[in-house]
């Protein structure tokens, strides 16, 4: 690009340093010295032009090809009238179209919004309308989720159809076909002034405890988080990552997929099917894999686990919810060649906050580690005072470059979350003598029974000592005497039978009397989000009358 000749007035900016002169200079030379996500794939293409960046089914793109395709999508979006900060929503699985949409938005300063495909109907239209999205991209396999509410999205000016879910053509004339739409545009990089502090992503919280909030995240938060994940998680440019968890979720997308793109590794996009996970690890000789505890449990329980060669897997990551210690021990035994890492965080922190590194996995079992490379962590009491003594529970708080800009249209909730200059997670933790954090519970999951506080994780850990238990969730249920009663919802392993009395006998050995469950329910499966978070809110509704019946 050619610079316009400097005016005499503009030349004065070179003789001083103030807000006005710095802004002029940073804008004028933006393409030279900026640090934003828009340039990430281009730089990887410079280092590894012919290396495979992305694999999806029988399709793949090199880094050079991927950069060209992202630019085409960016130019296509701009031609639709999409402006800086406009929201572009997509409802899709882990596909090439999904990834191109993300980077295409970044290249013109638009805000990418990935919609949770476990929602449907009015829940999806809520996200579209609350965000005021102007473009909505819908995958064919997910069309049924929104077909009845498309007329209830007044801000959407353009509907685009992605056929990478089921290979189906657009159902009616309202949709543009994704490939036909963007392929006609040039691969030239769009001309845009982009700044690191500007927003580029909007993610709705999973809402396990309340209605979703629209979290606005900046380039700065994500670039800092990617750097931290690369350093703390020890990623390499020769890593091959299996992306099976949904990339609409920030954990898979921003802790794994995007940092691997930045480094020049290879991302394989697949569906969250355990059989396919095992097969793809073997076929692509994957070196790293991330999943929440429930998926790791499913992998180790899969009947074909022993049939696959998983020896290439050198780095095993978990997060999104608490890993039971007994399951973690089993994981270390069954993946002896893999280093195990635990990420802990929130959507609002882009999302990782702390990490337990592989070197500490054995001697700090159950810990969430320390604040990441670009983060600080502390515990606070109910009066927002820092807790410095080991072993005293407090709310986990963080500050650093990862933090959100705001909750969209939620000034009070933003202020509450940022009180005192720290982001407040809503999680309860304790620090050990080395300042490593252990996540004890969600504030809202802490059970208050008979005047005593019971951390649900402690009860769950006790029940997991019974090797016949596949999964357990402990919740508080209204009780006429105890106000809340400790209640365990248990999934036995396949073919196993467990009695209520056996669980009670175990808990009596391991727990104080007031922590012993007053109710035990056996089920085939626990309700979860698609990223594996157990929905305790749903279970509290399901079993709210349990003790009335008794």
């Amino acid at each position: 690009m050619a610079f316009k000749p400097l005016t005499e007035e503009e030349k004065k900016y070179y003789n001083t340093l103030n807000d006005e002169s710095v802004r002029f200079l940073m804008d004028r030379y933006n393409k030279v010295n900026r640090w934003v996500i828009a340039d990430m794939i281009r730089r990887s293409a410079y280092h590894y032009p012919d290396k495979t960046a992305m694999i999806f089914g029988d399709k793949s793109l090199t880094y050079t090809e991927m950069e060209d395709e992202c630019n085409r999508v960016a130019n296509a979006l701009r031609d639709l009238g999409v402006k800086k900060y406009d929201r572009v929503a997509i409802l899709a699985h882990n596909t090439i179209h999904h990834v191109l949409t993300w980077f295409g938005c970044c290249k013109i300063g638009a805000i990418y919004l990935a919609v949770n495909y476990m929602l449907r109907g009015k829940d999806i239209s809520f996200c579209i309308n609350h965000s005021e999205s102007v473009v909505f991209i819908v995958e064919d396999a997910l069309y049924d989720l929104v077909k009845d509410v498309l007329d209830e999205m007044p801000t959407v000016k353009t509907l685009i159809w992605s056929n990478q879910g089921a290979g189906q053509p657009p159902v009616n004339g309202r949709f543009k076909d994704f490939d036909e739409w963007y392929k006609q545009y040039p691969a030239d990089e769009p001309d845009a002034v982009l700044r690191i502090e500007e927003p580029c992503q909007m993610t709705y919280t999973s809402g396990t405890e309340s209605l979703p909030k629209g979290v606005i995240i900046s380039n700065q938060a994500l670039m800092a988080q990617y750097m931290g994940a690369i350093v703390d998680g020890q990623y390499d440019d020769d890593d091959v990552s299996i992306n099976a968890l949904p990339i609409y979720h920030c954990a898979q997308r921003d802790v794994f997929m995007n940092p691997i793109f930045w480094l020049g590794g290879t991302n394989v996009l697949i569906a969250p099917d355990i059989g396919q996970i095992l097969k793809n690890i073997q076929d692509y000789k994957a070196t790293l894999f991330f999943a929440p505890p429930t998926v790791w449990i499913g992998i180790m329980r899969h009947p074909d686990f022993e049939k696959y060669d998983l020896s290439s897997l050198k780095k095993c990551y978990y997060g999104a919810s608490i890993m039971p210690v007994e399951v973690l021990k089993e994981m270390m035994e069954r993946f002896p060649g893999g280093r195990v890492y635990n990420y802990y965080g929130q959507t609002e922190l882009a999302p990782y906050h702390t990490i337990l590194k592989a070197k500490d996995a054995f001697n700090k079992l159950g810990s969430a580690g320390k604040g990441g490379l670009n983060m600080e962590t502390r515990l606070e009491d109910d009066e927002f005072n820092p807790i410095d003594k080991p072993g005293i529970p407090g709310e986990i708080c963080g500050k650093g470059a990862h933090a959100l800009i705001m909750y969209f249209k939620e000034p009070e909730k933003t202020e509450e979350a940022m009180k005192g200059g720290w982001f407040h997670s809503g999680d309860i933790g304790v620090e050990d003598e080395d300042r490593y954090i252990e996540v004890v519970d969600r504030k809202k999951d802490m059970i208050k029974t008979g005047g005593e506080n019971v951390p649900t994780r402690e009860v769950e850990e006790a029940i997991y000592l019974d090797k016949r238990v596949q999964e357990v969730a402990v919740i508080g249920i209204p009780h006429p005497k105890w106000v809340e009663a400790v209640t365990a919802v248990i999934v036995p392993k396949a073919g196993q039978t467990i009695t209520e009395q056996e669980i009670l006998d175990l808990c009596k050995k391991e727990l104080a009397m007031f922590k012993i469950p007053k109710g035990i329910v056996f089920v085939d499966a626990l309700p979860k989000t698609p990223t594996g978070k157990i929905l305790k809110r749903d279970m509290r509704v399901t079993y709210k009358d349990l003790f009335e019946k008794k």
Side-chain angles (χ1 to χ4, degrees):
M1 59 174 285
F3 294 115
K4 292 180 180 179
L6 290 167
T7 66
E8 291 303 313
E9 189 67 26
E10 288 172 338
K11 289 179 182 179
K12 295 178 182 178
Y13 288 131
Y14 294 75
N15 299 324
T16 187
L17 283 172
N18 56 39
D19 287 346
E20 186 179 359
S21 67
V22 169
R23 179 56 66 195
F24 168 79
L25 293 165
M26 293 300 289
D27 285 355
R28 183 172 179 83
Y29 303 121
N30 182 257
K31 281 290 187 76
V32 182
N33 61 18
R34 71 189 186 190
W35 197 36
V36 289
I37 292 166
D39 300 333
M40 201 165 77
I41 301 301
R42 190 189 70 241
R43 292 211 172 98
S44 291
Y46 164 77
H47 290 289
Y48 307 101
D50 300 320
K51 189 175 181 181
T52 300
M54 176 167 46
I55 299 169
F56 170 64
D58 60 356
K59 298 180 176 68
S60 65
L61 293 174
T62 66
Y63 273 100
T64 299
E65 292 168 337
M66 184 176 173
E67 170 66 6
D68 287 347
E69 297 296 271
C70 292
N71 285 332
R72 287 191 174 94
V73 171
N75 288 318
L77 286 168
R78 179 170 277 179
D79 197 47
L80 289 177
V82 176
K83 304 184 298 298
K84 197 172 193 177
Y85 305 142
D86 280 349
R87 272 73 71 199
V88 175
I90 181 167
L91 177 68
H93 291 101
N94 295 3
T95 66
I96 289 175
H97 286 170
H98 194 152
V99 176
L100 298 183
T101 298
W102 154 235
F103 284 107
C105 287
C106 288
K107 284 177 173 288
I108 61 171
I111 310 297
Y112 153 92
L113 166 61
V115 179
N116 180 340
Y117 59 66
M118 295 302 288
L119 301 176
R120 64 182 306 114
K122 292 191 180 298
D123 289 332
I124 293 176
S125 63
F126 166 81
C127 296
I128 302 300
N129 293 332
H130 183 266
S131 65
E132 301 176 25
S133 294
V134 297
V135 174
F136 188 22
I137 300 166
V138 179
E139 184 189 294
D140 51 4
L142 301 172
Y143 171 68
D144 284 350
L145 300 178
V146 293
K147 64 181 181 181
D148 296 329
V149 294
L150 289 176
D151 292 330
E152 300 172 17
M153 303 174 185
T155 62
V156 173
K157 303 296 188 292
T158 306
L159 291 168
I160 298 172
W161 182 272
S162 169
N163 67 353
Q164 291 189 335
Q168 297 299 311
V171 293
N172 57 47
R174 301 177 64 184
F175 285 89
K176 295 178 182 290
D177 178 84
F178 194 102
D179 286 322
E180 292 178 4
W181 160 66
Y182 91 96
K183 287 285 189 182
Q184 61 185 301
Y185 288 89
D188 301 331
E189 186 173 67
D191 187 17
V193 173
L194 304 170
R195 304 184 184 99
I196 193 168
E197 73 272 16
E198 292 173 342
C200 60
Q201 186 183 104
M202 186 173 188
T203 301
Y204 279 88
T205 58
S206 58
T208 58
E209 292 299 339
S210 61
L211 284 174
K213 298 185 288 290
V215 179
I216 303 292
I217 297 290
S218 66
N219 277 272
Q220 169 184 288
L222 291 167
M223 295 294 280
Q225 198 264 176
Y226 298 164
M227 177 193 291
I230 289 167
V231 173
D232 288 336
Q234 298 183 298
Y235 305 168
D236 298 300
D237 58 9
D238 59 355
D239 272 328
V240 177
S241 176
I242 302 296
N243 295 265
L245 276 292
I247 61 171
Y248 75 68
H249 191 278
C250 53
Q252 186 69 65
R253 181 182 66 233
D254 292 319
V255 185
F256 296 94
M257 184 185 79
N258 285 323
I260 292 299
F261 280 139
W262 188 0
L263 274 177
T266 299
N267 278 301
V268 181
L269 306 176
I270 69 170
D273 175 84
I274 289 175
Q276 285 300 306
I277 291 169
L278 292 167
K279 183 178 186 301
N280 279 272
I281 291 173
Q282 174 180 273
D283 290 353
Y284 291 106
K285 295 181 170 54
T287 57
L288 68 82
F289 180 68
F290 159 75
T294 50
V295 175
W296 281 111
I297 290 169
I299 287 172
M300 293 187 293
R301 302 288 181 269
H302 195 277
D304 294 335
F305 178 83
E306 301 292 347
K307 297 180 183 178
Y308 289 95
D309 179 5
L310 308 178
S311 59
S312 64
L313 199 61
K314 302 301 181 187
K315 289 169 275 191
C316 306
Y317 302 86
Y318 67 94
S321 57
I322 295 168
M323 175 75 85
V325 171
E326 291 302 311
V327 176
L328 183 57
K329 289 178 181 177
E330 180 184 359
M331 185 176 163
M332 291 174 173
E333 291 170 2
R334 302 193 75 176
F335 293 92
R339 305 193 300 274
V340 178
Y341 303 74
N342 175 21
Y343 280 110
Y344 160 75
Q346 295 82 29
T347 301
E348 293 88 340
L349 296 180
Y352 102 90
H353 180 176
T354 71
I355 182 170
L356 183 72
K357 299 179 183 180
K359 64 181 181 180
D360 295 317
F362 287 96
N363 62 325
K364 296 287 186 181
L365 280 171
S367 171
K370 286 185 171 182
L373 179 69
N374 294 308
M375 289 298 296
E376 300 168 58
T377 306
R378 80 176 188 184
L379 301 182
E380 288 184 357
D381 63 22
D382 290 340
E383 303 301 321
F384 308 106
N385 300 308
I387 296 172
D388 298 321
K389 293 182 179 179
I392 298 176
E395 183 172 7
I396 301 171
C397 302
K399 72 161 61 176
H402 299 192
L404 76 164
I405 294 176
M406 66 168 170
Y407 293 120
F408 191 51
K409 301 179 181 176
E410 298 274 13
E412 291 81 11
K413 289 181 180 178
T414 304
E415 287 281 293
E416 182 181 357
M418 303 287 207
K419 191 171 289 185
W422 290 78
F423 172 75
H424 292 76
S425 70
D427 288 341
I428 301 297
V430 294
E431 278 189 343
D432 68 12
E433 62 281 356
D434 299 317
R435 294 173 55 219
Y436 282 64
I437 297 281
E438 180 181 356
V439 182
V440 176
D441 225 330
R442 288 289 297 170
K443 261 189 172 182
K444 293 175 182 175
D445 283 346
M446 185 75 77
I447 300 171
K448 299 183 185 299
T449 181
E452 301 285 353
N453 288 340
V454 178
T456 58
R457 184 184 180 185
E458 184 180 353
V459 184
E460 290 164 355
E461 293 285 4
I463 294 173
Y464 270 117
L465 292 172
D466 188 320
K467 301 301 183 183
R468 297 170 298 174
V469 172
Q470 175 156 319
E471 289 186 289
V472 58
V474 171
I475 54 177
I477 298 298
H479 191 281
K481 178 180 178 182
W482 303 107
V483 183
E484 279 192 305
V486 179
T487 305
V489 184
I490 298 171
V491 180
K493 290 179 182 176
Q496 297 290 338
T497 300
I498 313 172
T499 68
E500 181 176 335
Q501 192 58 50
E502 287 173 325
I503 295 298
L504 291 174
D505 289 343
L506 173 62
C507 290
K508 287 173 183 176
K509 292 179 183 177
E510 302 293 331
L511 301 168
M513 287 299 294
F514 67 89
K515 298 178 182 179
I516 296 170
K518 302 288 192 299
I520 295 172
V521 180
F522 293 101
V523 296
D524 294 330
L526 301 178
K528 298 169 192 163
T529 69
T531 54
K533 288 185 179 180
I534 295 170
L535 288 165
K536 291 189 174 182
R537 179 189 64 188
D538 287 8
M539 285 188 284
R540 284 194 285 267
V541 172
T542 300
Y543 302 111
K544 63 183 175 63
D545 298 327
L546 182 67
F547 294 100
E548 287 185 15
K549 294 172 184 176
K550 292 186 176 182

